[in-house]
Amino acid sequence: GIEFPFYWVQLANYMAKDEEPQKSEWAELREAQSTALSLPQTGQAVITDIGEGADIHPRNKQDVGLRLALIALQKTYGENQMVSSGPVFKSMNSIGNKISIEYDCVGGGLSVQNKYGYIEGFAVAGADRKFEWAQAYLDGDKVVVYSTRVSHPVAVRYSRSNNPDVNLFNKEGLPAVPFRTDDWKE
């Protein structure tokens, strides 16, 4: 039989910005949505860049529909040259007090929507499991992440909050997918 495709929209950014990295049930729900991608014929549109903190329903429906259409064109209609996802975490490599992140789905390359090139939305933790906001920058098609408050980072989280700051994209304009490298209870 033919498996019916099922595509969905990941939860948008919503509520107040976090002063410090903290537990987020909204981010946990996003993570649960992403785990469903292991099922066949599934796809997820990430919209953490177009939500509105004070409105659970983003007004920008056009970009939401466009991102779903990209998934359908690639996965259902075989337009394999199309990029239908933003950067997806692939691996991390510790280098002293920094962590280098590698991505899949970079399309034409990684892009930072910030005139200074600073990437927002990353947090790192050491063995004490206390997350601190991190500085991050592009190094080719990798992202280097560090914090002066964490001398030996062992875990990285990206966009793991209710209303994350999002400015890491691929050159096709699709935002990086939220992720975490740890499996710690929050």
Side-chain angles (χ1 to χ4, degrees):
I2 297 173
E3 291 181 352
F4 190 77
F6 186 83
Y7 307 140
W8 64 87
V9 178
Q10 192 183 56
L11 294 175
N13 48 316
Y14 176 56
M15 296 179 264
K17 300 271 185 193
D18 292 338
E19 297 280 327
E20 296 293 328
Q22 58 188 288
K23 177 179 172 59
S24 166
E25 291 178 0
W26 204 244
E28 287 179 25
L29 283 169
R30 280 192 205 108
E31 183 178 59
Q33 288 179 292
S34 291
T35 61
L37 289 169
S38 64
L39 298 170
Q41 299 294 331
T42 56
Q44 170 178 261
V46 174
I47 63 166
T48 48
D49 61 318
I50 58 176
E52 298 167 37
D55 189 347
I56 196 167
H57 299 288
R59 291 191 179 118
N60 181 351
K61 307 288 192 238
Q62 186 169 357
D63 284 330
V64 175
L66 173 64
R67 291 175 189 181
L68 285 169
L70 289 171
I71 295 166
L73 285 168
Q74 184 189 57
K75 293 182 176 255
T76 303
Y77 295 100
E79 298 288 334
N80 294 325
Q81 75 281 4
M82 296 190 78
V83 175
S84 65
S85 172
V88 176
F89 172 80
K90 179 180 180 181
S91 65
M92 70 176 241
N93 185 22
S94 294
I95 308 162
N97 68 339
K98 296 180 179 176
I99 292 180
S100 176
I101 305 289
E102 219 176 330
Y103 287 90
D104 284 326
C105 302
V106 295
L110 295 177
S111 172
V112 180
Q113 293 186 358
N114 171 317
K115 67 181 179 179
Y116 301 110
Y118 302 126
I119 304 171
E120 302 174 65
F122 279 96
V124 294
D128 64 357
R129 300 183 177 194
K130 182 179 180 346
F131 280 89
E132 300 285 351
W133 292 126
Q135 287 77 44
Y137 60 89
L138 283 184
D139 180 13
D141 269 343
K142 295 179 182 171
V143 173
V144 176
V145 183
Y146 68 97
S147 170
T148 56
R149 299 170 135 198
V150 181
S151 57
H152 299 292
V154 298
V156 178
R157 292 180 177 180
Y158 174 71
S159 284
R160 192 160 177 90
S161 65
N162 295 333
N163 191 352
D165 293 318
V166 175
N167 69 345
L168 178 62
F169 294 77
N170 55 25
K171 289 191 175 157
E172 287 74 13
L174 298 170
V177 178
F179 72 88
R180 65 178 175 146
T181 62
D182 64 277
D183 60 0
W184 304 334
K185 293 283 183 204
E186 291 190 69

